[in-house]
Amino acid sequence: MTTTTTRPGLAARLTALTKVVELGPGRLDKKLLNESGALLQRAGNRLKLSSEHTVVALAGGTGSGKSSLFNALSGLELSPTGVRRPTTARTHACVWGLEGAGPLLDWLQIQWRHRFSRASALDKGDSQLHGLILLDLPDHDSIRALTDTEADRLIGLADLVVWVLDPQKYADASTHRRYVTELAGHEAVTVFALNQADRLTTEELAELVIDLNDLLRKEGVEHPSVVPTSAVTGRGIESLKSVIATAVARRRAAIQKLEADLHRLEQKLSQAMPLGEALSAPSTVDEARRMGLTDALCDAVGVPAVGEAMENVYAERSSRWVGWPYPRWVGKLRGDPLKSLRLDDVSEEIRGISTSSVSAQSAEVANAVQALADGLSMSMHPVWRTAVHQAARSRAGQLPQALTEDLAEVAPQLDRVPGWWRALKVWQYFLVVAFVAGLAWLAVGLLMPGQLPPSLELLGDTATLPWVGLMMASVLGLGALSGIASRNFVELGASRERERLEREMRRRVAAVAATMVVEPVERELGRHHAFYTALRDLSV
């Protein structure tokens, strides 16, 4: 047995069909998937079996003279012919060159008692048929369901089919409707034998041949091969043998049959899933759409609101530490602004803002996911568009809770006091002490001039009072300037803290979105792209 040499591209097309079958469940019609799987199995089995043998099946209806033609081609009375009701119940096989044909005949399920070999001196004139396995199939229009099924099975398995047509029923609907209309693209492995030509005059036969050719072309067989034959007179037997011998000698009928079957199946797949612009659809979620999804989810969970609240609270808390103390002390007489804002427990307030936002905006979360799926699947076949939406929503029910739990961990630590706040507070209280000391100096100098002991007489020296006043004014100016500067630094720090918080929250939202939305969607997009790439490779 030799290895089958397939034409370039057939192996790749079979690989592509395998990919289509692998990715098709849930997308392709189940009947079409089953047909594709059956073709792959049939191709795999046939290509593993003898490439030195060509399986030629004689198919036809009751009374077409098929068995007589089989006997005429084989030169022996191998298949019984009927008299009252000429029907073939079991498949008979005649093999020219039996060596290596056994596994192939087993695959065809030909019973041992119906196998015949041409391996004697009688075959010297038929050497061109060496490698031929000729099958006489059961009548396809038999009233026996068993034989009808067997005929259909072997018509599908044969490398080349010879349709034996009765001149009186050559346009029989059961043959044309069930078989001929499926032969488009199979011209290279299909022959039509217009049998029983002995019953017709030369003019009638010529007219029938023309009419049959026209009928076949209308049914999609572009280049039909029609051979008039007669098992009684032997007319056309050699011509039919020559056609069969050519196919046998080329050792390509099996490959041509698979190619034709692939072509027909590819047309069905293309009708079910038109290639069109399918490969222009995205195969991944691009960065712009990722950012758009993250933006929408951040709005849905209230990230800007949390950032704004944090910034306000940061500024309010700083007033306890920075700023000129005197205005702060005066402000305390008007009440605690934190209490008026209900911000006593700042961390819990911020945590409550983020938690309630996620719970309250679950509809917006769903809308964000829907918008992503819509944008990605716009140009897809409805089946694939639905699949992308299902993938996007596959974990949508868990998404709000996941965002809630993840963002709750990012609640700002507002009880943390920056070091520069503490340093500024020390400086400001130093200025307060200096101002109080100046007031005391002025009071002593003005109320007790010249009354202090020698060691403290400087305090009572009225000449120093202008300088003390200047010092006090300077202290007030420094305090005011440091208060203004501290407020500016506080605002800058609050803005930075807000940016840091929003950046961290956005990072976490993006990570959750990537895991629960983007990854399932990209798996479906990859499946879509791989499916249509395989479909394109199949049609090459």
Side-chain angles (χ1 to χ4, degrees):
M1 185 185 303
T2 61
T3 303
T4 301
T5 302
T6 63
R7 82 170 169 89
L10 179 58
R13 292 175 70 196
L14 289 173
T15 301
L17 181 59
T18 301
K19 196 69 175 177
V20 169
V21 172
E22 177 186 336
L23 300 173
R27 310 293 179 267
L28 279 174
D29 178 72
K30 189 175 181 180
K31 182 179 179 181
L32 195 52
L33 270 177
N34 291 339
E35 184 178 349
S36 302
L39 175 56
L40 283 173
Q41 185 177 18
R42 184 167 71 250
N45 290 334
R46 182 63 185 94
L47 293 175
K48 286 187 297 184
L49 297 170
S50 175
S51 62
E52 295 298 317
H53 289 84
T54 301
V55 181
V56 177
L58 298 181
T62 303
S64 62
K66 176 168 49 61
S67 295
S68 298
L69 189 60
F70 176 81
N71 292 334
L73 289 170
S74 64
L76 300 171
E77 292 293 327
L78 302 178
S79 185
T81 57
V83 178
R84 298 181 58 188
R85 183 173 179 82
T87 61
T88 302
R90 294 292 181 182
T91 302
H92 292 72
C94 184
V95 183
W96 281 258
L98 192 59
E99 183 180 357
L104 183 54
L105 291 167
D106 291 339
W107 178 61
L108 294 171
Q109 299 178 23
I110 307 300
Q111 297 179 2
W112 280 95
R113 66 177 180 274
H114 294 147
R115 300 180 185 182
F116 306 96
S117 173
R118 292 301 307 261
S120 67
L122 293 174
D123 297 327
K124 292 181 179 179
D126 287 339
S127 58
Q128 76 275 18
L129 297 179
H130 184 79
L132 169 64
I133 298 178
L134 184 65
L135 304 180
D136 181 17
L137 303 187
D139 305 323
H140 69 74
D141 57 354
S142 172
I143 59 173
R144 302 180 182 181
L146 177 62
T147 60
D148 197 40
T149 302
E150 184 177 3
D152 288 346
R153 181 180 65 82
L154 289 171
I155 287 170
L157 296 180
D159 301 329
L160 186 148
V161 178
V162 177
W163 285 98
V164 183
L165 303 177
D166 182 346
Q168 295 180 347
K169 298 188 295 183
Y170 69 92
D172 180 49
S174 66
T175 300
H176 289 262
R177 183 176 62 251
R178 292 176 55 189
Y179 301 106
V180 177
T181 55
E182 296 293 322
L183 292 177
H186 286 68
E187 290 91 340
V189 289
T190 306
V191 178
F192 297 90
L194 188 56
N195 199 26
Q196 300 175 0
D198 56 286
R199 297 182 180 181
L200 305 171
T201 64
T202 303
E203 293 76 10
E204 290 174 335
L205 181 59
E207 184 178 345
L208 286 185
V209 169
I210 294 173
D211 189 50
L212 178 57
N213 274 278
D214 291 341
L215 178 61
L216 292 172
R217 290 191 184 96
K218 289 178 182 178
E219 292 176 339
V221 184
E222 295 182 4
H223 305 288
S225 176
V226 178
V227 181
T229 59
S230 172
V232 174
T233 64
R235 177 176 180 177
I237 299 299
E238 291 303 319
S239 296
L240 184 57
K241 273 188 179 182
S242 177
V243 172
I244 295 174
T246 300
V248 171
R250 294 179 63 191
R251 302 288 192 266
R252 281 187 43 81
I255 304 304
Q256 290 175 317
K257 175 65 179 302
L258 291 175
E259 289 173 343
D261 289 344
L262 272 174
H263 176 69
R264 183 178 62 187
L265 183 59
E266 180 269 325
Q267 289 181 320
K268 292 181 179 180
L269 289 170
S270 296
Q271 289 177 357
M273 292 283 177
L275 185 60
E277 300 297 323
L279 287 176
S280 64
S283 57
T284 59
V285 180
D286 58 86
E287 190 61 29
R289 286 193 170 91
R290 287 175 181 261
M291 292 178 63
L293 176 63
T294 301
D295 290 340
L297 291 178
C298 284
D299 290 340
V301 300
V303 168
V306 174
E308 183 179 358
M310 188 284 306
E311 185 176 17
N312 293 335
V313 173
Y314 184 98
E316 290 297 336
R317 289 192 67 256
S318 68
S319 64
R320 301 179 183 179
W321 292 87
V322 300
W324 191 220
Y326 294 116
R328 188 167 66 246
W329 291 337
V330 173
K332 283 187 177 182
L333 300 176
R334 299 195 298 267
D336 189 351
L338 292 179
K339 291 183 178 180
S340 66
L341 291 173
R342 297 172 53 250
L343 294 170
D344 301 81
D345 190 345
V346 178
S347 297
E348 290 302 319
E349 184 72 15
I350 295 299
R351 191 182 300 275
I353 291 174
S354 63
T355 301
S356 62
S357 296
V358 173
S359 300
Q361 303 301 326
S362 56
E364 291 190 20
V365 172
N367 290 338
V369 172
Q370 179 77 15
L372 175 72
D374 286 341
L376 291 168
S377 63
M378 186 178 302
S379 61
M380 292 183 179
H381 187 281
V383 171
W384 288 99
R385 187 160 58 245
T386 300
V388 171
H389 279 79
Q390 289 175 345
R393 296 193 300 266
S394 60
R395 302 182 66 184
Q398 308 166 22
L399 186 56
Q401 183 62 29
L403 290 170
T404 300
E405 294 174 355
D406 211 48
L407 294 181
E409 300 175 3
V410 200
Q413 300 176 352
L414 295 178
D415 54 345
R416 179 178 59 84
V417 178
W420 71 271
W421 286 13
R422 298 180 186 276
L424 186 59
K425 189 172 186 177
V426 172
W427 164 251
Q428 290 170 335
Y429 275 95
F430 169 76
L431 293 179
V432 169
V433 171
F435 185 76
V436 171
L439 284 177
W441 193 321
L442 284 176
V444 171
L446 292 175
L447 299 177
M448 304 174 63
Q451 300 179 19
L452 296 177
S455 59
L456 299 175
E457 63 181 2
L458 183 62
L459 294 176
D461 186 357
T462 56
T464 62
L465 295 183
W467 296 105
V468 172
L470 180 60
M471 181 199 72
M472 294 176 62
S474 299
V475 167
L476 288 174
L478 283 174
L481 288 175
S482 64
I484 294 172
S486 66
R487 297 306 300 174
N488 289 336
F489 281 117
V490 165
E491 290 179 3
L492 181 60
S495 177
R496 287 178 176 174
E497 284 295 312
R498 175 178 180 172
E499 291 176 0
R500 182 199 64 77
L501 177 64
E502 291 185 353
R503 185 167 55 250
E504 176 62 15
M505 294 179 75
R506 181 182 177 84
R507 184 189 68 79
R508 289 178 175 255
V509 168
V512 172
T515 300
M516 304 188 72
V517 180
V518 175
E519 288 181 7
V521 167
E522 285 197 326
R523 282 195 294 270
E524 194 60 39
L525 293 178
R527 181 177 180 180
H528 172 270
H529 186 78
F531 177 88
Y532 277 100
T533 299
L535 198 59
R536 179 199 61 194
D537 295 342
L538 177 61
S539 61
V540 171

